[in-house]
Amino acid sequence: MAPLLHAWKSPAAASERSAHPGAVGPGPHSRGDRRWQPVMAEEEPAVSILLRALQGLTLKDFQEFKMKLSEVHLEGGGKIPKDSLAKAAHPCALLSCMGKNYSKDVAMDIAIGVFREMNLGDLAEELLDEVVKEHKQKYKEHVVQGFLRYKEVNSCPGENLSVRSHFTSLTISRKPRSEREAVDISRGCADTSNGPATITTQTLFNPDEDGQTPQVVVLVGAPGMGKTMTVRKVMVEWVEGTIYTQFDYIFCIDCKDIALPKEVSVADLASKCCPHRTVPVGKILEDQKRILFILDGFEALGFALVQPEEELSSDPTAVKPLEATLMSLLKKTLLPESSLLITTRPMALQVLGQCLEGEDYMKIVGFSGAKREEYFHRYFGNDRKASVAFGFARANEILYSLCGIPIMSWTICTILKQELRKGKDLMECSKATSWMCVFYLSWLVKHRGRDNPRHLQCFLFKLCSLAADGIWKHRVLFEEKEIKARGLDQPDLLPLFLNEEIPRKGVDHGNIYSFTHLHLQEFFAAMFYVLEDDVEVVGDSRDITKDINVLLESYSESRQDLNVTVRFLFGLVSQESREYMDNAIGCRTSPRAKEELLRWLQQRHRGTSQPGQGTKLSRLDAFHFLFEMNDKSFAQRALGGFSDLDLQDTKLTLYDQMALSFCIRQWPGLGSVTLQGCSFHQQDPKYEVAASVPRSDASDAGAHPGPIAEQPHEELHSPIDGLCRALRQPGSDLRVLRLQWCRLPESCCAALAALLTQHRSLERLELRDTALGDRGVRLLCQGLRQPGCCLQVLRLRYSRLTSACCKDLAAVLGTSPCLEELDLSFSEGLRDAGAELLCEGLQHRSCRLQTLRLGSCRLTGACCRALAARSPPLTCLDLSDNELGADGVLQLCRQLRSPSCPLRALGLSTAGLPRDALQDLAALRELKPGLEVGDLLEQDTPQTGAMARLPFHRGALPGRRVPPSLRRGALL
């Protein structure tokens, strides 16, 4: 064999034993692997070029080519028989002979080498250029196969997801950041607006403000922030030609791959990324500027990368220890004009800072508000379910804030998908915020295994001690010396829980650490109080008292900022959380904390009630805490000593309403509900959490039902639907429901009507300052007329009523066997026509009404004849703040003189009455000294906050006079 042939190396890869005389790899390059047909040369550009080159050879060169070809053999004994070569008398026959014995890639590789041995470099380069072009296309196809689809932790066997349909863009910021910005991020309030300074995956290598194009970009993110998914997206979009078109090749090296060789060259690393053994890597690496290397998960390499200068390499084909090869790439002694994208957790930044020069640091901040919603839709693939799930998360301020962390969004979606698959109403979802965080914690620890549960528990206790210390002292940033002093400097665990901020050059202090999110710090602070005591660990709790009662009392007295920590505390002691913590994470929690929480709840609200009233709960946070625990038995014990619910001037979010509904269902002794000055937040209909979602998952495949908003108005949920559903629970002893100054719309009346029908114990319903209107009252009357309604007192003050609803109310008076008091005060549209219609209802034999209040309804003397003639059942008639005139008052006085008239109280405003009318009233009082005559209009003043939200002051509606009751004191 010719010496030159022995010395020749394949251009495919200098380090590969690919196709050269004496050393060609086995397997797919064997004689029997025929993957190309020379007869189709016109469809194969490289084959066509080879054929054309052979046809252009002189007879002498053609014979020399055949001779050198006969000396090439494959490892394993493969070789073209000499008689076959002898018969190949023309280029087409020779090409066919090569096709029968070699794969296409090997044939091209051998031909290039032979042309070079023959000093026919132009032919070799032309053929090599075409091979590289074809290889690039094959490589892109390989990238799509490897990066487009991925498998999630909880996915079913064979269920792979597409990056195209599931990737949601992340907010990326430029580092280094100030400490103020670091605090904002930890609190979940970093600026994530899509302003001009926002960085995306598409713009990582764009020129900066100085016009400099970065050559090295480091993308930093905590665990679960989406670094690897971002890399997948970059690879797929590069293939599609939408980003990074300046690069011909992007090689992604997974640093978490345990199969990385201990000794390797850069050419080997590039070849490892390619789909075929015969890779023209030498040719590929020639144009360095058009190559991007991605090192994904750099922190997983786990070595210091401190290499002597003499160990560094400048030869892409030189095989060196992996550390030396990567250091050479980072230090730019290898391929200095190539580009680098490095993804890493913060823990590796210090090491990287020693290796790199002129690098740009970018930090993944998380999802912006709009992207959180987009993620839910991409995850579910079903608009209806996605909207319902996102509505649930959006309603919970803590959950929504945590959704900025991609892995938390995944956690929340995973749990809610399971709940929806069971056909559950998310308004009654038992998976609270604490459970989501426990699930997230289990995801973190799964990444390190459970080889030593005690070691993990000790670390967690120290971490929780740090979190609690920070919460007590209002700190979210921790210095490196404190981390070391607490024994938290454990490289296998610390990066899972804390972000690491590397100080700028010249700054004296060490690294700064923070929890990924303030709410996660609060979660771990709560864990500090419930993790089982361990003598060895407790000694590290420093100056924090591990006394749950100290935390609770501090919260009650002055530290309202501890609210979220206390809420997590309740969630962590639930039976479900305790069992999961023990089984999935290996951490035991104390069973004693639950009883301490119960005692605190019961004692905290003692003394808040007035003498003669039931014991009442008037703090919304108590319902949050019970809802977080979601333990029905515990809630019943906690609420058993209370009879009244009284909330004032509160904006009730959907989460508040869910918490209230849960507690009311577990509160059989609840006798009175008063909500004064409260507003009920109602979500956009497409996010309606209580919406019915089909149990079948068939629609997940692509069915997109129309939005709820397109349903008829009558089918829409009212703001108090959840409250009324909870109050309708069997066994409820509710007697009084007051919804005052709550601005309820008419749609609420259908829910209230259903409540009246099904709740026989309800005796009193008071609605004030509502927008019920006549239509709403008609709906309410449907419930009042039902046999199951036992209501005794109905007050509809400030409800914008007119005479149009009085016919329905009159029908109720004639059919209700229980209604004793009706209050329609401050209904200016009622007027005389409405009063006369009500009088018709008073004449029914079954009417049991005793008190009728029509104060400030713009009545005149014209209605007094009907009232005087048809009011025998009444014991109290309030006509205060109405201009009845002398004739109207005289008609009432004549009726009241009758011995059979049972009236004991008459509400009148006497301002402006003539002398004869006043004399008649005085004579009437002498005749019936037990009769009370005067201004009976009750002055119920809303809370300050509620009043501020009203468009008018009570009794002073637009277009009317100020009532006398507000101008002066009582008249008689």
Side-chain angles (χ1 to χ4, degrees), residues 125-152:
E125 289 303 311
E126 182 182 5
L127 185 57
L128 180 58
D129 287 342
E130 192 57 44
V131 168
V132 170
K133 189 185 300 182
E134 289 186 5
H135 178 271
K136 181 179 178 182
Q137 184 56 39
K138 290 179 182 178
Y139 176 63
K140 287 187 173 183
E141 292 171 1
H142 169 73
V143 166
V144 170
Q145 291 175 1
F147 288 88
L148 176 61
R149 307 197 74 82
Y150 66 98
K151 188 178 182 67
E152 283 192 338

Side-chain angles (χ1 to χ4, degrees), residues 284-304:
I284 291 171
L285 297 180
E286 282 181 2
D287 196 352
Q288 300 179 20
K289 291 183 179 180
R290 300 189 66 81
I291 297 173
L292 170 65
F293 286 95
I294 297 179
L295 302 180
D296 182 32
F298 179 83
E299 77 286 343
L301 293 173
F303 42 68

Side-chain angles (χ1 to χ4, degrees), residues 692-870:
S692 174
V693 178
R695 286 175 179 262
S696 171
D697 286 329
S699 60
D700 286 350
H704 298 283
I708 303 175
E710 295 177 3
Q711 298 177 5
H713 176 74
E714 290 76 14
E715 296 182 20
L716 291 178
H717 297 284
S718 78
I720 62 170
D721 266 3
L723 173 66
C724 289
R725 280 201 305 271
L727 291 171
R728 291 201 302 266
Q729 291 299 303
S732 172
D733 193 33
L734 183 71
R735 296 180 302 279
V736 179
L737 175 60
R738 298 185 183 93
L739 302 173
Q740 302 168 343
W741 313 105
C742 294
R743 309 300 302 274
L744 299 179
E746 66 178 40
S747 60
C748 295
C749 288
L752 289 170
L755 178 64
L756 291 171
T757 302
Q758 300 176 29
H759 213 306
R760 299 185 65 87
S761 68
L762 186 60
E763 300 171 353
R764 189 182 190 97
L765 175 62
E766 297 185 18
L767 306 175
R768 303 183 191 184
D769 178 49
T770 67
L772 299 183
D774 299 328
R775 183 180 177 184
V777 172
R778 290 193 189 100
L779 290 171
L780 198 61
C781 288
Q782 293 177 11
L784 290 166
R785 290 197 296 267
Q786 298 301 314
C789 178
C790 298
L791 196 72
Q792 297 176 19
V793 178
L794 175 62
R795 293 192 167 190
L796 304 175
R797 299 163 67 91
Y798 298 100
S799 295
R800 296 175 173 83
L801 306 182
T802 72
S803 59
C805 69
C806 290
K807 185 175 182 180
D808 297 277
L809 287 169
V812 170
L813 296 179
T815 56
S816 174
C818 301
L819 191 62
E820 297 176 355
E821 179 179 340
L822 176 63
D823 185 350
L824 304 178
S825 301
F826 300 103
S827 297
E828 291 202 324
L830 206 67
R831 308 204 178 192
D832 295 337
E836 291 173 2
L837 288 170
L838 291 173
C839 288
E840 295 179 5
L842 293 172
Q843 298 304 301
H844 288 285
R845 292 183 178 180
S846 57
C847 179
R848 297 292 181 268
L849 197 72
Q850 297 179 18
T851 300
L852 177 62
R853 300 184 185 276
L854 300 175
S856 195
C857 288
R858 287 201 174 181
L859 304 182
T860 70
C863 70
C864 289
R865 183 181 301 275
L867 287 168
R870 302 175 183 177

Side-chain angles (χ1 to χ4, degrees), residues 25 47 53 109 154 223 259 338 385 416 457 507 535 575 579 629 636 653 683 711 722 781 803 836 884 907 954 964:
V47 176
D109 208 16
N154 63 331
S338 65
K385 288 186 176 182
L416 294 184
Q457 176 137 347
V507 177
V535 176
Q575 188 65 28
E579 290 177 355
M629 184 183 292
Q636 289 167 4
T653 67
Q683 282 191 312
Q711 298 177 5
C781 288
S803 59
E836 291 173 2
L884 302 179
R954 60 173 173 75

Side-chain angles (χ1 to χ4, degrees), residues 429-450:
C429 179
S430 63
K431 306 303 183 187
T433 313
S434 302
W435 174 256
M436 309 280 187
C437 292
V438 169
F439 193 85
Y440 164 74
L441 177 58
S442 71
W443 177 86
L444 286 179
V445 299
K446 280 178 183 175
H447 284 66
R448 62 166 297 277
R450 291 189 57 188

